[in-house]
Amino acid sequence: MSDSPYLVERMQGFGTTIFAEMSALAVATGSINLGQGFPDEDGPPEVLEAAITAVRDGHNQYPPGIGIPELRHAITAHQAAWYDLDYDADTEVLVTAGATEAIAAALLALCEPGSDVVTFEPYYDSYAACIAMAGARRRVVQLRTPDFSFDPEALERTITPRTRVLLLNSPHNPTGKVFTVEELELVARLCVEHDLFAVTDEVYEHLVFEGRHVPLATMPGMRDRTVTISSGGKTFSCTGWKVGWLCAAPELVDAIRTVKQFLTYVNGGPFQYGVAVGLRLPASTFRRLAAALQEKRDRLSAGLAAAGLTVLPSAGTYFVGADIRSLSETDGLAFCRSLPERCGVVAVPSVAFYDDKEAGSPLVRFACCKRFEVIDDAAARLRGMRR
């Protein structure tokens, strides 16, 4: 999509998202969509029924600006039970229109024009757009294949006197990386030494297969300088509800709420009741959801390998990455655009998430959050793709 002559300069280059392009391609060609990360099965019935009940009980008007009390208290109970993080439901929690709005509002609130925001590449595409909307500059540290490690010295060199925010995503989309405690300790130390705010995207916190999710806010010195963001959409397979939240110190919440109220104002009133119920489900439910997704990851990974792709490690999230150089191909964008014709499957080219286009070019992301029969059908089609 070409840039609009009316679009402000800082947003030039942000045309139709790669997800929209590939999903439209899936519809147009009747292909299996393993591109966009949304499940094709509903989540826990208790969550769905709570939202339905809320609609029937008349909770269909504006909810409170900071979110309904039931959800805010469920969020604080969740943070305490899972991570021993203590937040006040009235002053340190803000419900948002998904994690995407929380990230946008945080960056708009905390960054001045000309500020630097440090993040890791590949990065979820909205990060770049939100940084640009804030008038800030993106500075990236690369997660290097095949294990998605990063150079600690490169991270330290990337921080400048203009750096205001470090934006961290773990479990990480699109790679599936789960940052280790040692990596988080390094990030925390640099944030404290350079007096940075951390904004953390933790939407896949309960969908971890290897290792464990550790919030950055639990690291020494980080509780009051971290904006911890999550949502119910990924965990409970209700991505269309767009119910997210952030937890932070009162002063940070006040700053972000000032911006957020002029974005969506509020959203998802009855869905907030559903997510509140979901967050109070027993730990065994969360483990079951992660185990079911892990089985799908393994099934898809085996199918990709059988089709000749080099499968990259994924310790969590909805996604499995692959390197197409094992198929004697190097252009992931061209590969993904041709894949529907070649075998009737849609994936997403990882180059869309990189500043370093050469590093991202041979990588492709597949979504594993689909029914087994869909995964098996896609795997069979990929094995038969025309070379």
Side-chain angles (χ1 to χ4, degrees):
M1 177 180 176
S2 60
D3 287 323
S4 166
Y6 305 112
L7 186 65
V8 295
E9 181 179 354
R10 66 181 178 276
M11 296 304 294
Q12 295 287 345
F14 295 101
T16 301
T17 71
I18 194 66
F19 306 112
E21 178 185 346
M22 292 300 154
S23 290
L25 189 59
V27 172
T29 61
S31 297
I32 296 174
N33 188 354
L34 298 186
Q36 196 163 9
F38 57 85
D40 58 3
E41 295 179 288
D42 286 331
E46 304 96 318
V47 175
L48 306 182
E49 288 301 320
I52 293 168
T53 298
V55 170
R56 290 174 174 160
D57 287 349
H59 297 294
N60 301 305
Q61 309 309 321
Y62 293 134
I66 60 173
I68 64 169
E70 292 87 343
L71 178 53
R72 287 185 281 109
H73 283 277
I75 290 166
T76 58
H78 169 273
Q79 295 300 93
W82 285 90
Y83 310 120
D84 199 26
L85 284 168
D86 183 27
Y87 291 101
D88 183 272
D90 295 323
T91 63
E92 296 185 308
V93 177
L94 179 63
V95 176
T96 60
T100 303
E101 186 196 34
I103 293 163
L107 293 173
L108 288 166
L110 300 178
C111 294
E112 297 286 358
S115 298
D116 284 349
V117 175
V118 171
T119 194
F120 293 89
E121 75 167 354
Y123 46 77
Y124 185 62
D125 67 341
S126 79
Y127 297 177
C130 290
I131 292 167
M133 284 190 285
R137 289 174 295 202
R138 179 175 73 252
R139 296 177 62 85
V140 300
V141 178
Q142 191 168 120
L143 301 175
R144 304 167 299 191
T145 56
D147 62 351
F148 299 115
S149 61
F150 65 91
D151 179 357
E153 293 181 359
L155 175 59
E156 189 154 13
R157 287 195 304 270
T158 304
I159 298 170
T160 74
R162 296 185 301 272
T163 303
R164 179 79 166 168
V165 170
L166 190 148
L167 175 55
L168 176 72
N169 175 207
S170 182
H172 183 267
N173 175 14
T175 67
K177 174 186 175 67
V178 177
F179 280 69
T180 66
V181 170
E182 292 74 20
E183 289 170 331
L184 294 173
E185 287 173 342
L186 169 65
V187 170
R189 176 177 65 80
L190 293 174
C191 285
V192 172
E193 288 180 0
H194 294 273
D195 193 23
L196 308 180
F197 295 116
V199 175
T200 64
D201 176 353
E202 304 179 20
V203 298
Y204 294 101
E205 59 184 309
H206 289 295
L207 301 176
V208 173
F209 318 131
E210 280 94 36
R212 65 189 180 97
H213 172 63
V214 178
L216 186 64
T218 63
M219 296 289 109
M222 293 306 295
R223 196 274 189 194
D224 289 339
R225 67 173 65 245
T226 301
V227 180
T228 301
I229 294 170
S230 193
S231 76
K234 302 301 191 298
T235 300
F236 304 126
S237 297
C238 52
T239 59
W241 289 11
K242 298 297 291 180
V243 174
W245 57 85
L246 61 87
C247 299
E251 297 82 2
L252 286 171
V253 170
D254 285 346
I256 298 167
R257 184 178 64 233
T258 300
V259 172
K260 183 262 188 293
Q261 67 188 343
F262 298 114
L263 296 176
T264 60
Y265 176 50
V266 293
N267 78 292
F271 297 137
Q272 293 188 28
Y273 290 88
V275 175
V277 167
L279 288 176
R280 293 188 182 276
L281 291 172
S284 58
T285 299
F286 291 86
R287 289 193 292 268
R288 175 178 58 79
L289 294 171
L293 187 61
Q294 181 175 353
E295 191 174 356
K296 294 178 178 182
R297 177 208 62 174
D298 293 344
R299 190 95 148 234
L300 178 59
S301 296
L304 296 175
L309 292 99
T310 299
V311 179
L312 299 171
S314 174
T317 77
Y318 279 178
F319 306 110
V320 175
D323 191 322
I324 62 173
R325 284 174 288 193
S326 53
L327 299 176
S328 299
E329 302 199 38
T330 58
D331 187 339
L333 179 58
F335 176 83
C336 287
R337 284 174 170 165
S338 70
L339 203 56
E341 182 180 347
R342 292 166 66 177
C343 68
V345 174
V346 163
V348 163
S350 297
V351 70
F353 314 129
Y354 278 85
D355 287 354
D356 184 341
K357 301 305 181 186
E358 182 178 353
S361 183
L363 307 180
V364 174
R365 191 195 79 173
F366 294 86
C368 61
C369 52
K370 309 296 180 180
R371 289 172 286 124
F372 286 126
E373 56 266 35
V374 173
I375 292 172
D376 292 344
D377 188 2
R381 294 184 185 200
L382 287 163
R383 287 196 300 272
M385 82 171 87
R386 297 195 302 275
R387 307 291 177 173

